[in-house]
Structures are given as structure tokens and as C-alpha cells.
Amino acid sequence: MQSISILGATGSIGVSTLDVVARHPDRYRVFALSAHSRVAELAEQCQRFRPQVAVVGSAEAAAQLQTLLRAAGLSTEVAYGPQALCDIASADGCDMVMAAIVGAAGLASTLAAARAGKKILLANKEALVISGQLLMDAVQAHGASLLPIDSEHNAIFQCLPAGYTRSMTAHGVEKILLTASGGPFLHRDVNTLDQVTVEEAVAHPKWVMGRKISVDSATMMNKGLEVIEAHWLFGAPADKIEVVIHPQSVIHSMVSYADGSVLAQLGNPDMRTPIANALAYPERIASGVAALDLAQIAQLSFLPPDYQRFPCLKLAYDALRAGGTLAAILNAANEVAVQAFLDGRIGFGKIAPLIQEVMSAIPNRQADDITALLEQDRQARDHAEALISR
Ligand code: NDP
Ligand code: MG
């Protein structure tokens, strides 16, 4: 029996994780759950999964949760705030941590899980984008393990040999082929991109996800963040990571080997597959996802990405190649820009130029501790906000 803390339990990944966990009551027990403000949803999850601890974002949310839980006769301990997230990520009572908070808000707790030597199921790609070196070093130093949940990275993980040491050359790996659906605007007239509505941007053709990552998929910044994520997870330099547009989202990514073999992982686009894979690794368990019907899919197609249409993808490659804290700056500017778009403060077409402007305005530095990285993150956010207000 293994116990799990699910950070971001009320989100899209959190809910899918609980769905898989519920299918295996003999294997998994929930130690802790967290949400930010969706208290009623968290209370329902607590009634169903009976965690020892539940964490929310504020004192008010904690008081509300406490009332709901007591009314339901539960004695779940309630806590709130960033330190409480770190506590449930590093507690002795949990073996595994699902890191599924969205954005930089997930960084500290993911790092805490690494420092406590936990098995980390990593959905929060932003943590690796901001502080890849720091996180990978912490994982190594404290004997933690990092299993990718992002479908592409989980696919790559499945296509790499067991015991892969983050050295492509040592394992005869030539290239990582990251597939991308192309999102909702793959074929839309580029001159009309500034008029897209929030509803159009979050309506992903293949995946049902949270709002932030859905907008990231529409700009393809999501793929850019994933290029950086792949760099840290698999020790791959930028020029060995190739993005391939594959609109059907059946192949979740591929690994190309020196002997000419290309290995791929296929499946229906449902995050419960990578979640079940990481939860049970190296075993295989049921996830609730139906088997692929290839005859029904009939056709798989591929095309190269168009940087004119998707400038965010190029910005992410630039940040990775530049090194230093540029990826943290890119991520912070993107988080602010996406939120501003979702709030109706900027048009969709302004997201990429805004990020680019922030990247050129904030001096790129070397930073090897969390304080320095968060300072870069703060400066980038402030600058992005100032540009938006203007
Ligand atoms: P959602 O927006 O659906 O969920 C986010 C979760 O984080 C919610 O539980 C939310 O709480 C919580 N949260 C939000 N802000 C904060 C904060 N400031 N502090 C603490 N908790 C917070 O996101 P997704 O599930 O879509 O994505 C989660 C992560 O997984 C992201 O990093 C994303 O890139 C990654 N990912 C997601 C995929 C998907 O299919 N959805 C695929 C691959 C990666 P509340 O509900 O109370 O707001
Ligand atoms: Mg992905």
C-alpha cells in the first residue's frame, strides 16, 4: 500500500489522478489533498478519499473547508498556504507526490518533495522550466525520483531504455521527437489571431485541460515549455529535440535511435494513461482508458511547426539556448500574459510580443538558488504587468 499527496487535486490532472487511484484501493491510499480556492470540490474529494490532511490557499478558505468537513463528520486536518503545501509534499506519511499545481505556484512544494526524497509524479512542468538545474540536482542529492506525467514526456520515458542516465550518447539516442497537436488554431488565418475569443482558445481539439495550459496549447508555448522540460528530464540539448505537429494526438512522442529505429508510444488522448503509468511504474495497472481503435483512426499525419504562426515556440527555444534565468523570465511573462488574455485585458495576438519584450528587457543572469530565481520571476511579472497597463 502506497500513500500519495495530490497537490492541485481539484484541477484537471488532480481529478484524473483520483480517478485512477479510486480504481486501485488495494494499492493506493490518499494522504493529503490540496486546492487553492475551490473549497466545495475539495470537501467532496475529502469525503470520498478520507485524507489525513487537506490544504487550501487562504485562512478564509480553510475556515470554510473546516466547516464543511466537520458537518460531514470528518476529522481531516485543515491547513493553508505555501508552507502547508511543502509540508504535505515532504511529510513522512506520504510515499508519492502528484505535483499538479499550475504555474510557478507549484515550484516550492515540488522542490520540497525532491528534498524529502519522494517519488514525484511531475505534471507541473513550470517547475522544471523555472528551476530545472535546481530541481534535478535536488532529486539526485536526496534520492528522490521524478516520473513525468506530461503525456509527451511520459511517452518518451516509456520509449527510453530502463536505467536511462540522462545521456543521449550513452544510450544511442539521436533525437527526441516531441509531438504537438497544433491546438485549435493550426489552420486559422494568422491575420485573424488577434480576434480569437477566450472560448475559442481554451477549446482544445484533442485534450480537456485546465485553462492556462489550454491557452498555452493554442499559442504553442506549451510545446515550448515542453522542449525545456525534455531538456532537463532527458539531458537533451535544444538541437536534439524536434517538434513534430501530429494533429490526431495518437502518438504522444517518439525517440529516434542511432540504428535508425524510432520508438513511439501511442494511446487515446487521456491523461489517465500517463498517470497510471507513473503511479505503478514499473508495473502496469488499469487506468480506465479504452484501447486504441487504429482502424477507426485510419490516418496519422505529421507536419513541421510554423514559427510565424507560433512565435512562442521559437521564444522557448531561444530561452533554452541562452541558458541562465531566461526560461524563468519567459515562464513568468507567459503566466502574466495568459492571465491577462483570460481576463480580457489583452488580445491573443499580443501574448507572444509581450513575452518577447519582457525577455529582452530583463537582464539574463545566472542564478543557482531559489531566491535568485524567484527574484527574476518577480521582475519579469512586474515588467509584464507594467507593459499591459500601458
Ligand atoms: P487546473 O487549472 O485544472 O488545476 C490547477 C490546480 O492547482 C487546482 O487544483 C488549483 O486549485 C490549484 N492551484 C491554482 N493556483 C494555485 C496556487 N496559487 N497555489 C496552489 N494551488 C493552486 O490545471 P491542470 O490540471 O490543467 O494543470 C496542472 C499542471 O499540470 C500544469 O502545470 C499543467 O501544465 C500540467 N499539465 C496538465 C495537463 C492536463 O491535461 N491538464 C497535461 C500536462 C501537463 P483550485 O481548483 O482551487 O483553483
Ligand atoms: Mg503535454
Side-chain angles (χ1 to χ4, degrees):
M1 187 67 119
Q2 287 190 294
S3 64
I4 183 165
S5 287
I6 304 177
L7 281 67
T10 47
S12 157
I13 294 287
V15 168
S16 292
T17 304
L18 285 171
D19 182 285
V20 178
V21 163
R23 290 167 197 274
H24 303 279
D26 49 329
R27 290 183 75 114
Y28 307 114
R29 171 166 74 72
V30 176
F31 172 74
L33 295 173
S34 92
H36 193 54
S37 54
R38 281 188 276 184
V39 173
E41 285 86 342
L42 185 63
E44 273 173 34
Q45 292 181 341
C46 288
Q47 288 196 51
R48 180 147 180 239
F49 292 94
R50 309 273 161 157
Q52 250 168 271
V53 192
V55 174
V56 286
S58 66
E60 303 74 61
Q64 280 172 27
L65 182 64
Q66 185 82 266
T67 308
L68 291 172
L69 295 182
R70 294 303 167 261
L74 295 187
S75 57
T76 316
E77 184 189 320
V78 174
Y80 67 90
Q83 184 54 47
L85 290 173
C86 293
D87 292 345
I88 58 169
S90 58
D92 288 342
C94 87
D95 307 304
M96 290 187 283
V97 176
M98 167 55 83
I101 289 174
V102 60
L107 173 59
S109 49
T110 306
L111 209 51
R115 290 179 174 150
K118 300 298 183 193
K119 171 176 168 177
I120 304 169
L121 316 181
L122 185 75
N124 178 228
K125 63 190 83 180
E126 294 92 345
L128 269 181
V129 171
I130 301 167
S131 66
Q133 188 72 59
L134 206 65
L135 189 55
M136 296 313 292
D137 287 351
V139 165
Q140 176 98 47
H142 299 276
S145 57
L146 200 54
L147 291 150
I149 293 297
D150 213 346
S151 58
E152 296 77 0
H153 305 74
N154 184 267
I156 294 161
F157 174 71
Q158 293 194 49
C159 295
L160 286 170
Y164 179 75
T165 56
R166 292 177 70 216
S167 162
M168 293 176 74
T169 45
H171 298 273
V173 175
E174 286 280 292
K175 244 185 191 173
I176 299 234
L177 302 172
L178 260 188
T179 53
S181 70
F185 306 137
L186 181 59
H187 302 297
R188 181 164 174 145
D189 177 356
V190 276
N191 299 312
T192 67
L193 283 181
D194 216 30
Q195 284 102 59
V196 310
T197 63
V198 168
E199 285 61 40
E200 287 172 319
V202 299
H204 196 279
K206 292 290 168 193
W207 297 93
V208 182
M209 309 180 284
R211 282 160 77 81
K212 190 261 178 182
I213 185 176
S214 296
V215 177
D216 284 349
S217 298
T219 61
M220 274 191 86
M221 178 58 93
N222 181 51
K223 209 49 54 181
L225 300 179
E226 291 184 357
V227 168
I228 302 174
E229 183 184 12
H231 163 76
W232 290 113
L233 285 172
F234 308 120
D239 59 353
K240 299 278 184 194
I241 308 169
E242 187 179 321
V243 172
V244 185
I245 303 221
H246 165 47
Q248 296 82 11
S249 296
V250 167
I251 293 180
H252 298 309
S253 276
M254 296 168 264
V255 175
S256 173
Y257 285 91
D259 61 4
S261 301
V262 176
L263 301 196
Q265 185 260 356
L266 287 71
N268 282 314
D270 187 320
M271 290 306 293
R272 291 177 300 174
T273 294
I275 290 167
N277 175 264
L279 267 173
Y281 180 81
E283 293 170 36
R284 298 270 180 180
I285 56 170
S287 66
V289 179
L292 260 189
D293 182 345
L294 283 170
Q296 159 97 42
I297 291 159
Q299 212 172 35
L300 300 182
S301 54
F302 306 93
L303 60 154
D306 172 355
Y307 291 114
Q308 223 87 51
R309 179 181 290 277
F310 299 115
C312 285
L313 179 58
K314 168 140 191 326
L315 293 176
Y317 268 109
D318 291 347
L320 176 57
R321 290 201 169 97
T325 50
L326 202 54
I329 294 168
L330 164 110
N331 179 71
N334 181 57
E335 287 190 27
V336 172
V338 169
Q339 192 58 52
F341 167 69
L342 287 171
D343 295 341
R345 296 168 66 210
I346 63 171
F348 184 82
K350 296 292 177 294
I351 296 176
L354 186 87
I355 297 165
Q356 184 164 23
E357 210 174 327
V358 175
M359 284 170 74
S360 30
I362 307 292
N364 187 10
R365 297 199 291 122
Q366 292 303 319
D368 40 26
D369 63 84
I370 190 83
T371 319
L373 281 164
L374 290 178
E375 173 54 22
Q376 290 290 89
D377 173 277
R378 191 194 57 77
Q379 279 188 28
R381 279 172 204 271
D382 289 352
H383 195 75
E385 286 292 356
L387 289 171
I388 292 165
S389 311
R390 240 201 274 147

